[in-house]
């Protein structure tokens, strides 16, 4: 391929074809075939993924990358070449050099001569001891404990890199760039920085690109997937993947290919902007992006503009995600049918607790009731609830021995007991340790297609005093200016009639973004949905520390629920291990609202 003739003359069009390791297998080929984009990105990595890749690397040092990338590329390659589309992916995982070699082999088999570069320097697994000895304790972001206090053995350790390594690779002629652990949005930031020749000090432009990257990084979530207003989205059986058109100033337009399923609306974009964030000062290795400055404009026909984003100098540190193997876990699901369901559940719980107390090696037990049987049910399924029993501990206690004990209950416990599936041996579960490391300690390295290498040095702010920490965490209470919108008669409605929500995991924490369906409710939301009210609506959160942040430009508030997921999605015994459905639980709750406000916004009498 040759350099795009329009580079720097019009907005760059960046598409996405993967939001996680396991996303739609045909997406890369579909996006490449449709054309009309300059760069196609693919996000394959998450905390859970790094653990999976770590296990693969432990078995075979030549592995450790997202193996699904190669068949994706195989199906898309001819279209990428024909439409002169560059490809940037983080599928390299723990072995970007190995995947780059495998990619070159695949390209050669197709008879092409594309230029493949890769970016590494994120993997600090082999340096953990040396870093700690050099005075970097890698303290846990929540507990403040040093890594030396962790009883588990690390399996992976990767720092989040920024996008300028990608930009340098593209600038040196790469057609395909494969990276290890870069920040998710950095795939897009790197492409935009290359296109517009941004410097590390173009903070507002970089922040705008972070917003665009954050919106499209999770694929079809930006086009209606996992959206609380899914009922309003046409043809959601296979939504199209998103495209960001990024201008020189960092403003962007989010869209999708015509004729594909799903939709791009202000609400689908808002949902993704609020996904897996904490404070509005969103940290990235290249810039601090102030999400509360972002403004959305619906341009119609599946085009939504993001503008007004502001950036400030990046933090001197970057996140390091360390994973390890924590122990063994197992689970079983029993059915509770008919009458006396509370007594039946209590009986089986006593049996499980007795087993856990009678053997060495069971560290944690979780017992969850799922669903509610109907009164006077007209089918057996309608008469049934589920009880899920999960345990963690040693392989000896939580493996086959636990499953065997559960099988033994079949003829000696409550009437109608049966399990949903055969007994299982269980499996090892992962543990997660988030920490910070000075960016100056990393060797962010570009391995160019021509065999040369280049170190990307972290930029220093033009004014050292301007490189300040992000704004202090706001008060957990609503802003002092918030007041009740009116004193009208109150009516009880489902919260989901008034707001949308999107939730997800952030290590052991969960984030819960909530925004109004109608601007008439903005003042009401800010004044009513306080931390105390959230605890009332979600009793599971009553003992948790909760941070609350307002994003008035989006008509939104964002909550961070500290420790809801224990030590992380890979180790929690919570049924919804990544808090994906937390927002939907909140929306199902009832709340009192002024009658006149509801009637004005919904157009119906209540």
């Amino acid at each position: 391929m040759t350099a795009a003739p329009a580079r720097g003359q019009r907005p760059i069009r960046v598409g996405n074809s993967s939001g996680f390791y396991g996303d739609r297998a045909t997406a890369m080929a579909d996006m490449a075939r449709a054309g009309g984009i300059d760069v196609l990105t693919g996000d394959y990595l998450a905390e859970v993924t790094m653990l999976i890749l770590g296990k693969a690397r432990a078995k075979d040092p030549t592995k450790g990358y997202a193996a699904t990338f190669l068949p994706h590329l195989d199906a898309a390659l001819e279209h990428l070449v024909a439409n002169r589309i560059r490809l940037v992916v983080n599928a390299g995982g723990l072995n970007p050099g190995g995947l780059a070699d495998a990619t070159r082999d695949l390209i050669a088999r197709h008879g092409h001569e594309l230029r493949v570069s890769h970016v590494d320097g994120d993997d600090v697994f082999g340096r953990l001891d040396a870093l700690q000895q050099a005075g970097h304790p890698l303290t846990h972001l929540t507990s403040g404990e040093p890594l030396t206090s962790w009883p588990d053995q690390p399996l992976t350790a990767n720092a989040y890199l920024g996008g300028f390594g990608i930009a340098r690779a593209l600038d040196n002629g790469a057609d395909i760039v494969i990276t290890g652990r870069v920040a998710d949005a950095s795939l897009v930031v790197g492409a935009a920085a290359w296109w517009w020749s941004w410097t590390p000090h173009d903070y507002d432009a970089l922040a705008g690109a972070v917003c665009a990257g954050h919106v499209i990084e999770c694929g079809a979530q930006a086009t209606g997937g996992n959206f609380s207003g899914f009922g309003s989205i046409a043809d959601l059986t296979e939504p199209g993947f998103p495209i960001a058109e990024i201008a020189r100033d960092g403003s962007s337009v989010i869209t999708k290919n015509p004729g594909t399923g799903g939709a791009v609306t202000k609400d689908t974009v808002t949902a993704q902007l609020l996904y897996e964030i904490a404070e509005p000062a969103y940290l990235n290795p290249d810039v601090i992006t102030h999400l509360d400055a972002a403004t959305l404009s619906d341009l119609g026909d599946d085009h939504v503009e993001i503008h007004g984003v502001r950036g400030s100098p990046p933090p001197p540190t970057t996140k390091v995600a360390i994973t390890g193997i924590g122990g063994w876990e197992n689970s079983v699901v029993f059915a509770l049918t008919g009458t006396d369901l509370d007594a039946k559940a209590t009986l089986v719980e006593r049996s499980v607790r007795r087993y856990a107390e009678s053997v060495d090696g069971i560290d944690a037990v979780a017992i969850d009731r799922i669903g509610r049987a109907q009164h006077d049910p007209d089918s057996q399924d309608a008469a049934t609830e589920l009880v899920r029993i999960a345990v963690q501990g040693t392989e000896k206690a939580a493996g086959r021995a636990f499953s065997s004990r559960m099988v033994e209950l079949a003829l000696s416990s409550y009437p109608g007991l049966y399990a949903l599936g055969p007994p299982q041996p269980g499996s090892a579960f992962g543990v997660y340790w988030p920490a910070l490391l000075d960016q100056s300690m990393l060797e962010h390295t570009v391995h160019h297609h021509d065999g040369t290498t280049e170190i990307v040095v972290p930029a220093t702010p033009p004014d050292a005093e301007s490189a300040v920490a992000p704004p202090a965490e706001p008060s957990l209470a609503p802003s002092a200016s918030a007041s009740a919108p009116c004193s009208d008669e109150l009516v009880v409605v489902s919260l989901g009639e008034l707001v949308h929500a999107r939730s997800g995991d952030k290590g052991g924490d969960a984030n819960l973004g909530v925004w109004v369906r109608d601007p008439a409710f903005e003042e009401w939301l800010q004044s009513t949905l306080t931390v105390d009210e959230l605890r009332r609506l979600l009793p599971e959160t009553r003992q948790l520390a909760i941070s609350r942040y307002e994003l008035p430009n989006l008509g939104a508030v964002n909550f961070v629920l500290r420790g809801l997921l224990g030590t992380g999605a890979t180790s929690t015994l919570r049924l919804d291990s990544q808090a994906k459905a937390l927002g939907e639980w909140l929306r199902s709750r009832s709340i009192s609202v002024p009658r006149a406000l509801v009637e004005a916004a919904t157009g119906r009498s209540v």
Side-chain angles (χ1 to χ4, degrees):
M1 298 184 197
T2 57
R7 179 185 169 194
Q9 303 300 311
R10 58 161 175 79
I12 182 175
R13 286 175 54 86
V14 183
N16 173 275
S17 63
S18 177
F20 69 101
Y21 189 14
D23 210 347
R24 192 185 308 167
T26 60
M28 185 183 292
D30 290 342
M31 292 292 286
R33 183 184 301 108
I37 55 177
D38 303 296
V39 177
L40 183 59
T41 62
D43 180 11
Y44 288 77
L45 302 182
E47 293 154 8
V48 175
T49 313
M50 301 307 284
L51 182 70
I52 294 170
L53 298 180
K55 292 178 180 178
R57 181 176 66 175
K59 294 179 180 178
D60 183 348
T62 67
K63 304 302 181 184
Y65 53 75
T68 55
F69 167 75
L70 292 171
H72 294 173
L73 177 61
D74 193 41
L77 187 59
E78 299 300 332
H79 306 299
L80 291 169
V81 172
N83 290 318
R84 298 168 62 194
I85 299 170
R86 286 169 168 78
L87 185 64
V88 178
V89 298
N90 62 11
L94 303 176
N95 187 9
L99 184 56
D101 289 339
T103 298
R104 293 185 186 97
D105 291 342
L106 187 154
I107 291 169
R109 291 196 297 273
H110 280 261
H112 296 296
E113 295 183 356
L114 300 184
R115 295 162 292 195
V116 181
S117 300
H118 73 275
V119 178
D120 61 19
D122 59 296
D123 194 337
V124 296
F125 174 68
R127 299 173 57 200
L128 288 177
D129 289 342
L131 287 169
Q132 292 173 89
Q133 292 170 8
H136 302 276
L138 298 171
T139 55
H140 193 283
L141 286 179
T142 301
S143 70
E145 295 293 323
L147 182 60
T148 53
S149 69
W150 202 27
D152 300 299
Q153 184 67 34
L155 183 66
T156 70
N158 295 80
Y160 286 59
L161 300 179
F164 277 95
I166 294 168
R168 292 299 305 134
L170 292 170
D171 199 49
N172 201 41
D175 300 308
I176 298 176
V177 183
I178 294 169
T179 78
R181 198 27 160 151
V182 298
D184 296 345
S186 294
L187 299 171
V188 173
V189 172
W194 159 69
W195 185 267
W196 291 114
S197 300
W198 289 336
T199 74
H201 299 143
D202 289 320
Y203 299 130
D204 288 349
L206 290 168
V210 167
C211 267
H214 183 57
V215 169
I216 74 170
E217 72 190 33
C218 287
Q221 281 194 169
T223 58
N226 197 20
F227 171 48
S228 57
F230 72 98
S232 66
I233 305 294
D235 190 17
L236 198 55
T237 55
E238 192 170 281
F241 274 63
I243 296 169
E245 301 171 346
I246 306 171
R248 183 185 297 274
D249 64 356
S251 62
S252 64
V253 174
I254 308 301
T255 186
K256 66 182 185 69
N257 282 318
T260 58
V264 177
T265 70
K266 284 181 68 175
D267 284 327
T268 66
V269 173
T270 298
Q272 191 56 28
L273 280 175
L274 294 174
Y275 184 57
E276 293 183 343
I277 66 169
E279 61 269 21
Y282 184 60
L283 304 186
N284 181 275
D286 293 317
V287 67
I288 296 175
T289 300
H290 298 278
L291 295 172
D292 50 351
T295 300
L296 304 184
S297 298
D298 193 338
L299 306 182
D301 194 26
D302 294 312
H303 286 71
V304 173
E305 183 182 25
I306 306 174
H307 52 94
V309 184
R310 293 291 177 261
S312 57
T317 59
T318 189
K319 183 179 177 181
V320 178
I322 305 171
T323 70
I325 302 298
W328 204 259
E329 68 180 9
N330 206 347
S331 64
V332 64
V333 179
F334 288 143
L336 307 168
T337 307
T339 61
D340 304 316
L341 299 187
D342 289 343
K344 291 171 180 175
T346 298
L347 178 57
V348 75
E349 180 171 354
R350 286 175 183 164
S351 299
V352 173
R353 301 290 182 191
R354 178 174 295 179
Y355 169 75
E357 294 169 359
S358 66
V359 300
D360 292 329
I362 296 294
D363 302 323
V365 177
I367 301 176
D368 300 302
R369 294 273 290 275
I370 305 169
R372 177 174 295 181
Q374 295 179 11
H375 174 69
D376 190 23
D378 59 5
S379 71
Q380 183 172 328
D381 286 350
T384 301
E385 296 179 9
L386 303 177
V387 57
R388 171 184 174 267
I389 302 157
V391 296
Q392 288 179 342
T394 64
E395 182 176 358
K396 180 179 180 181
R400 286 290 184 185
F402 165 76
S403 294
S404 296
R405 178 56 185 143
M406 295 302 98
V407 169
E408 291 170 1
L409 298 178
L411 305 182
S412 61
S413 189
Y414 64 82
L417 184 152
Y418 66 91
L420 274 64
Q424 299 296 319
S427 61
F429 68 87
V431 286
Y432 174 65
W433 186 277
L436 295 177
L437 182 65
D438 289 348
Q439 294 201 54
S440 61
M441 298 303 298
L442 302 174
E443 291 192 355
H444 185 173
T445 305
V446 186
H447 300 264
H448 291 296
H449 62 89
D450 58 8
T452 62
T453 61
E454 179 181 355
I455 303 296
V456 178
V457 179
T460 56
D463 177 3
E465 294 183 357
S466 68
V468 297
E473 187 171 293
S475 167
L476 302 189
S479 61
S481 62
S483 60
C486 59
S487 57
D488 190 27
E489 175 191 359
L490 298 179
V491 294
V492 177
V493 300
S494 171
L495 188 56
E497 294 185 49
L498 314 179
V499 302
H500 289 298
R502 171 67 67 78
S503 57
D505 62 310
K506 290 187 68 64
D509 302 334
N511 103 287
L512 174 54
V514 184
W515 71 102
V516 295
R517 301 180 65 147
D518 187 291
F521 286 101
E522 288 182 8
E523 186 178 354
W524 171 85
L525 177 70
Q526 300 292 350
S527 63
T528 303
L529 196 55
T530 63
V531 169
D532 286 342
E533 180 65 359
L534 185 73
R535 289 193 174 109
R536 184 191 71 81
L537 293 168
L538 305 181
E540 183 182 349
T541 70
R542 285 176 179 167
Q543 303 304 314
L544 300 178
I546 300 176
S547 301
R548 179 185 187 272
Y549 306 97
E550 296 183 1
L551 294 91
N553 284 5
L554 301 178
V557 293
N558 185 54
F559 297 93
V560 180
L561 288 68
R562 311 290 181 182
L564 180 71
L565 305 178
T567 56
T570 58
S571 57
T572 183
L573 287 178
R574 192 175 186 274
L575 185 63
D576 180 13
S577 63
Q578 293 181 291
K580 299 293 188 184
L582 184 66
E584 291 304 289
W585 176 26
L586 176 67
R587 294 180 67 250
S588 72
R589 297 288 280 153
S590 296
I591 194 168
S592 296
V593 186
R595 179 189 297 274
L597 192 57
V598 176
E599 292 180 345
T602 64
R604 63 180 179 85
S605 297
V606 292

